[in-house]
Amino acid sequence: MYKDTVTIYNRRFNPTSLSFDYFKRIIDGVMFQGTHAVTSVKGGIVGANSFKVFIPADAKSRDGMPYLPPDEFSSCTDSAFTLQVEDIIVKGACPYEIPPKSENDVLSDFYDSFQILSISDFSFGSRRTKHLVASGGDWRGR
């Protein structure tokens, strides 16, 4: 139905290392909508980019992993993908396995990459109309 591809970096807190682990999934068959904009603030202008990604509810990652709600994902990160606030979405199939600190600028400077700020679940209606929407804005490795 849709022709775009995104890379989702799901994050989960690791209490042993006291840092976040990332789980990369590439999802085909989505619709990516992006707006590149700036806004003026006292002293100059700043980026005000925004995005929306529409994902069919029955979408699977390239490696065959299905979507699970965040509460179910936390116990099976190696067999699914999810959408959570503060996860990272990159337009296209990104080659990086994880977004380590040293690569943050690479993601934001060379890819349309965004941090998820909200998720809407439209899991009602017919199979063809059920979908998820992830929305957000600029991600600069925050």
Side-chain angles (χ1 to χ4, degrees):
M1 187 159 124
Y2 299 129
K3 299 182 190 267
D4 294 325
T5 296
V6 294
T7 303
I8 299 175
Y9 292 98
N10 293 132
R11 66 186 217 147
R12 185 181 71 185
F13 185 71
N14 182 332
T16 305
S17 65
L18 300 176
S19 62
F20 287 98
D21 293 330
Y22 287 89
F23 301 89
K24 172 185 170 181
R25 295 286 184 251
I26 298 173
I27 315 296
D28 296 310
V30 304
M31 181 171 64
F32 182 95
Q33 293 179 341
T35 301
H36 294 278
V38 295
T39 187
S40 62
V41 295
K42 185 176 183 178
I45 59 171
V46 295
N49 297 339
S50 63
F51 83 100
K52 281 188 179 183
V53 175
F54 298 81
I55 302 173
D58 60 356
K60 292 190 181 342
S61 65
R62 280 191 182 171
D63 52 355
M65 304 301 169
Y67 170 82
L68 285 179
D71 57 332
E72 294 177 38
F73 173 79
S74 62
S75 63
C76 55
T77 55
D78 59 343
S79 61
F81 75 93
T82 195
L83 298 172
Q84 305 169 104
V85 171
E86 296 188 10
D87 282 351
I88 299 163
I89 293 184
V90 178
K91 184 178 181 183
C94 189
Y96 299 101
E97 281 306 310
I98 59 171
K101 293 288 185 196
S102 62
E103 292 176 353
N104 286 346
D105 290 333
V106 172
L107 284 180
S108 59
D109 289 344
F110 298 106
Y111 296 92
D112 281 335
S113 59
F114 305 94
Q115 186 175 52
I116 297 175
L117 300 176
S118 69
I119 300 110
S120 300
D121 183 350
F122 297 96
S123 58
F124 51 84
S126 72
R127 185 189 68 76
R128 292 184 62 195
T129 62
K130 294 178 183 181
H131 65 285
L132 304 155
V133 179
S135 303
D138 280 330
W139 176 71
R140 292 282 177 179
R142 288 171 238 165

